[in-house]
């Protein structure tokens, strides 16, 4: 029979793996008697783990949420995933950077050497770190209102001395390194997207509401369409070109496009925009030869811009 400490850890691991465990099945998995299972459950309760007895023909146990956070037990994959997530959390601009760093240090200290080596080679660097710092209390307030489905009142920094906004909050999202609240504006009878760093919530929240259907049904498509200036889920203009640049270089500057390698030094770029000239201009920012695959409207937009740029390049007449 394994030692008591090892047996308790094995029992705790099983209880975390599924919601309900029949006592007989726990005894079978641990190769101990049902009486020993009962004693070990009592020991875990004394350590602060809220384990409830499940009624039924077989009886059993369930690990529930408690009022305090007891020691946790993770398997190898969970521990590595947690460490990587904590590194990413430190770049989110959510006001939790210090807490994430301390939590990562705590997790790393108790890891066995084999796992420390795995997470030490995964170093996350924020190439485009959030330039917006949001008070974590604000994020928690917004998230709670979304979860509870309660009307939210808040002052908005860009509104000046205007009355507080009244909205039905639906989603808290990140986009381009910023946090946003997607909500139905009750006073304007329309959907709005608010920057979270400009929101100052007023407490308490208002009455509960029945969630409305978001246009298109998908929050990702909705937010993307609003930021591109269109209510459709796709760009009104989309074209395809071949650029004389490596795919890795182009992909780093077009997260909204599709980039495919043609050769090590050439790539295919599929990109959208709100007009053909704006699409041509977006592609023209790359210092490389361009081959237009289609459609003809994109080629015409390049010709249009070339004439405009040629005129702009003419030296002004000397008076």
């Amino acid at each position: 029979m394994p030692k008591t400490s090892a047996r308790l850890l094995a029992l705790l691991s099983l209880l975390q793996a599924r919601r309900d465990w029949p006592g007989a099945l726990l005894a079978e998995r641990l190769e101990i008697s049902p009486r020993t299972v009962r004693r070990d459950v009592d020991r875990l309760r004394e350590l602060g783990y809220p384990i409830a007895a499940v009624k039924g023909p077989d009886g059993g146990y369930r690990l529930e949420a408690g009022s305090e956070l007891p020691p946790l037990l993770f398997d190898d994959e969970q521990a590595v995933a947690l460490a990587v997530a904590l590194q990413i959390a430190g770049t989110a601009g959510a006001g939790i950077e210090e807490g994430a760093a301390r939590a990562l240090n705590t997790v790393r200290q108790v890891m066995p050497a084999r796992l420390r080596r795995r997470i030490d080679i995964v170093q996350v660097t924020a190439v485009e770190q959030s330039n917006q710092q949001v008070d974590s209390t604000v994020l928690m307030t917004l998230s709670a209102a979304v979860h509870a489905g309660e009307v939210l009142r808040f002052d908005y920094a860009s509104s000046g001395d205007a009355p507080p906004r009244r909205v039905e909050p639906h989603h808290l999202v990140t986009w381009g390194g910023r946090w946003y609240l997607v909500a139905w504006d009750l006073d304007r009878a329309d959907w709005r997207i608010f920057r979270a760093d400009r929101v100052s919530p007023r407490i308490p929240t208002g009455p509960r509401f029945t969630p409305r259907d978001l246009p298109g049904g998908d929050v990702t498509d909705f937010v993307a369409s609003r930021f591109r200036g269109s209510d459709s889920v796709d760009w009104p203009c989309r074209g395809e070109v071949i650029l004389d640049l490596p795919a890795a270089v182009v992909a780093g500057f077009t997260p909204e496009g599709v980039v495919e390698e043609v050769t090590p030094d050439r790539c295919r770029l599929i990109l959208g925009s709100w007009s053909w000239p704006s699409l041509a201009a977006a592609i023209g920012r790359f210092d490389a030869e361009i081959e237009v695959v289609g459609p003809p409207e994109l080629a015409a937009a390049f010709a249009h811009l070339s004439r405009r740029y040629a005129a702009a390049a003419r030296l002004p007449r000397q008076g």
Side-chain angles (χ1 to χ4, degrees), residues 205-291:
T205 54
R208 296 179 63 88
F209 63 88
T210 301
R212 304 169 189 264
D213 292 330
L214 195 67
D218 183 87
V219 66
T220 302
D221 290 340
F222 173 77
V223 172
S225 66
R226 283 299 176 99
F227 278 112
R228 69 170 62 109
S230 168
D231 287 333
S232 65
V233 297
D234 199 4
W235 290 107
C237 303
R238 182 175 291 273
E240 179 179 342
V241 299
I242 302 294
L243 294 175
D244 284 354
L245 282 175
V249 173
V250 176
F253 294 95
T254 54
E256 73 281 6
V258 177
V259 183
E260 299 175 353
E261 183 178 270
V262 176
T263 67
D265 297 321
R266 304 184 79 210
C267 68
R268 182 187 314 276
L269 171 63
I270 302 174
L271 194 63
S273 187
W274 55 272
S275 73
W276 294 112
S278 69
L279 178 57
I283 297 172
R285 73 183 188 270
F286 293 102
D287 186 14
E289 296 297 318
I290 303 171
E291 176 188 339

Side-chain angles (χ1 to χ4, degrees), residues 22-267:
L25 182 56
L26 283 175
E28 178 183 342
R29 292 288 294 270
L30 296 171
E31 298 181 350
I32 56 178
S33 67
R35 182 180 177 183
T36 303
V37 170
R38 289 193 295 272
R39 288 203 306 265
D40 287 350
V41 166
D42 288 337
R43 291 190 179 98
L44 288 176
R45 286 169 176 162
E46 292 173 358
L47 293 173
Y49 293 96
I51 302 174
V54 178
K55 297 181 179 180
D58 300 326
Y61 302 96
R62 174 188 304 158
L63 182 62
E64 296 186 332
S67 58
E68 296 181 354
L69 183 65
L72 301 178
L73 183 68
F74 298 104
D75 61 30
D76 288 6
E77 294 304 318
Q78 288 175 321
V80 172
L82 178 61
V84 173
L86 287 170
Q87 289 193 54
I88 296 173
T91 70
I96 59 172
E97 292 78 11
E98 182 181 349
R102 288 191 290 108
L104 176 60
N105 186 57
T106 300
V107 171
R108 188 185 180 282
Q109 283 182 340
V110 299
M111 279 184 171
R114 68 179 188 281
L115 294 187
R116 283 201 302 272
R117 286 192 293 269
R118 289 180 62 182
I119 68 167
D120 285 347
I121 64 175
V122 182
Q123 295 297 322
V124 178
T125 301
V127 176
E128 185 182 351
Q129 189 166 1
S130 173
N131 55 7
Q132 166 212 44
Q133 293 296 317
V134 186
D135 189 332
S136 59
T137 303
V138 172
L139 291 181
M140 294 300 102
T141 300
L142 299 183
S143 181
V146 170
H147 180 74
E150 295 176 342
V151 172
L152 184 67
R153 295 183 309 124
F154 58 83
D155 297 310
Y156 199 55
S158 64
S159 299
D161 295 329
R165 308 295 284 264
R166 297 186 312 116
V167 304
E168 296 176 353
H170 282 256
H171 297 276
L172 185 62
V173 303
T174 59
W175 180 273
R178 296 185 184 276
W179 289 88
Y180 294 92
L181 176 68
V182 179
W184 174 264
D185 193 312
L186 292 168
D187 296 319
R188 291 158 181 79
D190 194 11
W191 291 95
R192 291 288 191 271
I193 299 177
F194 301 96
R195 275 180 50 173
D197 63 322
R198 297 178 178 175
V199 170
S200 298
R202 291 201 175 193
I203 306 299
T205 54
R208 296 179 63 88
F209 63 88
T210 301
R212 304 169 189 264
D213 292 330
L214 195 67
D218 183 87
V219 66
T220 302
D221 290 340
F222 173 77
V223 172
S225 66
R226 283 299 176 99
F227 278 112
R228 69 170 62 109
S230 168
D231 287 333
S232 65
V233 297
D234 199 4
W235 290 107
C237 303
R238 182 175 291 273
E240 179 179 342
V241 299
I242 302 294
L243 294 175
D244 284 354
L245 282 175
V249 173
V250 176
F253 294 95
T254 54
E256 73 281 6
V258 177
V259 183
E260 299 175 353
E261 183 178 270
V262 176
T263 67
D265 297 321
R266 304 184 79 210
C267 68

Side-chain angles (χ1 to χ4, degrees), residues 7-18 21 44 73-75 78:
R7 198 174 64 240
L8 289 177
L9 289 175
L11 173 58
L12 180 58
S13 179
L14 290 175
L15 290 172
Q16 290 178 162
R18 55 184 278 183
W21 277 95
L44 288 176
L73 183 68
F74 298 104
D75 61 30
Q78 288 175 321

